[in-house]
Amino acid sequence: MKFENVRLAAIGALVPDEVWSSDQIEQRLQPLYQRLKLPEGRLELMSGIAQRRVWPVGTVPSGPSIEAGKLAVQAAGLGVESIGCLIHASVCRDFLEPATASRVHHGIGLSSDCWVYDVSNACLGLINGAIQIAMMIQSGAIDAGIVVGTENSRMLLESTIQALNGDTSLRRKDIKGAFASLTIGSGSCAWLLTHERLAPEATAIEVGIAEARTRFHDLCVSDSDSAGAEMQPLMETDSEQLMAEGIATGAAAFEKLLAESGWDRGSIERTVCHQVGTRHRVAMLESMGLSTERDSVSFPQLGNTGSVALPLTVASAAAQGDLTAGDRVAMLGIGSGINSVMLAARWGSTAIAGNIKAIQNVPLALKIPS
């Protein structure tokens, strides 16, 4: 899809205050580590993730999503009556029904004329939502819309730690599938997109593409999502094959992005990939013929924050001054399924609101509750 008049007017970006370092998680896994004689430090060494953050106990996704959405609206300087669509697009949601978007719509105070619904596509939810809003703007159906989501890793981290410590039948080869769950972090992000007449100097969203290789849908699977079940979520991941097939899918998608945008590799000033970890990032960029020097990351401080990982990293890159007006920015999304969604954008004056700068220079000595 090519867009002529869609702008990313503002981003609301929030990260929790509570920090869990990889070292501290390994301390909580001492029963497992001692029984299997696992070397300490392997979690950070293998992933490049020094820490991740978690929301307070009892946080539901709509809470931070409402705050992030309000921040985006305020930063854009728009009235709530101008917002014609609200999509909630994170993996985490308040409940099966109604749509979490309904609670967020009410909390932000948007109008009754607004389209309101949830979108779910693993780590690609927010990017999918952004493209849907862009299509509505391009068609003339709406002038502005918000896609927002909040990922909450606390329950997954706690359930995984409990499961690994509690199952004494596990051997070294058995725990590889749970490793990815220990890299998950929390965060919230809202993108507010508008017609260019409302934000003429803002970042231009120019192209969106998709690549689907769903024969690999079973490489990363969570628990079933059943009404009435008080889930303690667990996730099983074939990390090696998932990385290999994800990279192949992303490389094919990137060729589509180049063809549709008319860009070449050398003309791209900044890239932002999905934030999984060091090995994935390096291998992905190498497969695409791109340099790590022009790539922005947030995973060392935030972990893998799922659907908000790429949107939060864009906000972080802007807040740190990595993005300047006129930069060609390639946003390279990959998600289990396997699917890839990518955006080509020309950076402009996009307002960034929230506490995303707080990811810099955070001490790792905070205690994890037992």
Side-chain angles (χ1 to χ4, degrees):
M1 185 68 188
K2 294 184 178 180
F3 305 105
E4 298 173 354
N5 51 22
V6 177
R7 299 291 184 266
L8 177 56
I11 302 176
L14 294 173
V15 293
D17 294 327
E18 187 176 342
V19 178
W20 290 19
S21 74
S22 290
D23 288 344
Q24 291 166 326
I25 287 178
E26 288 185 330
Q27 287 300 308
R28 291 188 62 175
L29 286 169
Q30 278 306 296
L32 175 76
Y33 270 57
Q34 291 174 6
R35 186 171 61 80
L36 298 182
K37 297 181 172 57
L38 298 174
E40 294 184 4
R42 62 185 284 137
L43 183 54
E44 182 175 348
L45 181 65
M46 292 174 65
S47 67
I49 294 171
Q51 61 186 44
R52 74 285 292 138
R53 294 178 174 225
V54 296
W55 299 107
V57 173
T59 298
V60 292
S62 61
S65 290
I66 290 168
E67 187 175 352
K70 286 181 176 179
L71 286 170
V73 173
Q74 293 165 2
L78 297 178
V80 291
E81 69 281 353
S82 65
I83 308 300
C85 181
L86 184 284
I87 299 174
H88 198 269
S90 52
V91 176
C92 296
R93 48 188 174 164
D94 288 13
F95 20 61
L96 288 175
E97 61 173 309
T100 300
S102 299
R103 192 170 186 176
V104 176
H105 174 272
H106 176 72
I108 298 175
L110 302 181
S111 77
S112 60
D113 295 325
C114 192
W115 292 87
V116 183
Y117 57 96
D118 288 354
V119 162
S120 178
N121 191 18
C123 294
L124 294 171
L126 261 76
I127 303 302
N128 278 127
I131 289 178
Q132 289 187 14
I133 290 171
M135 288 179 174
M136 295 175 77
I137 293 171
Q138 185 73 31
S139 72
I142 63 173
D143 288 332
I146 299 173
V147 58
V148 62
T150 295
E151 303 294 11
N152 186 355
S153 62
R154 179 184 284 272
M155 289 181 292
L156 178 58
L157 288 168
E158 290 179 339
S159 296
T160 302
I161 291 169
Q162 181 179 2
L164 290 174
N165 283 335
D167 188 349
T168 57
S169 70
L170 293 174
R171 297 294 177 260
R172 285 196 177 201
K173 63 181 179 62
D174 301 323
I175 65 175
K176 290 183 65 176
F179 176 81
S181 298
L182 299 175
T183 69
I184 304 300
S186 303
S188 184
C189 196
W191 278 15
L192 194 159
L193 295 96
T194 72
H195 192 282
E196 65 174 342
R197 64 175 172 271
L198 297 182
E201 303 302 319
T203 298
I205 304 297
E206 297 183 351
V207 173
I209 65 93
E211 172 78 11
R213 296 192 176 184
T214 55
R215 63 185 179 276
F216 303 114
H217 66 274
D218 57 350
L219 295 181
C220 181
V221 181
S222 74
D223 275 355
S224 61
D225 191 357
S226 303
E230 295 183 2
M231 286 201 306
Q232 291 294 312
L234 293 173
M235 187 168 66
E236 184 70 20
T237 304
D238 185 338
S239 299
E240 294 299 323
Q241 190 178 0
L242 180 65
M243 186 172 81
E245 300 299 346
I247 288 170
T249 304
F254 183 60
E255 293 300 325
K256 284 185 180 180
L257 189 71
L258 292 176
E260 292 297 325
S261 65
W263 295 358
D264 58 61
R265 288 168 174 79
S267 69
I268 297 173
E269 282 88 9
R270 181 60 50 178
T271 61
V272 180
C273 295
H274 177 51
Q275 304 294 296
V276 178
T278 300
R279 288 182 59 211
H280 179 276
R281 176 197 181 221
V282 171
M284 174 65 75
L285 293 174
E286 285 181 351
S287 74
M288 295 177 181
L290 297 168
S291 168
T292 58
E293 295 178 359
R294 296 183 181 182
D295 184 64
S296 292
V297 298
S298 65
F299 66 81
Q301 299 91 1
L302 297 183
N304 177 356
T305 52
S307 69
V308 300
L310 191 153
L312 276 177
T313 308
V314 172
S316 175
Q320 295 175 47
D322 290 345
L323 300 173
T324 57
D327 281 355
R328 293 181 180 88
V329 183
M331 305 178 192
L332 313 174
I334 308 288
S336 56
I338 292 174
N339 293 291
S340 178
V341 177
M342 297 184 177
L343 297 176
R346 186 84 60 159
W347 196 255
S349 180
T350 294
I352 310 296
N355 69 344
I356 191 64
K357 289 185 179 180
I359 70 171
Q360 300 301 308
N361 302 317
V362 176
L364 300 183
L366 300 182
K367 182 180 179 182
I368 299 177
S370 58

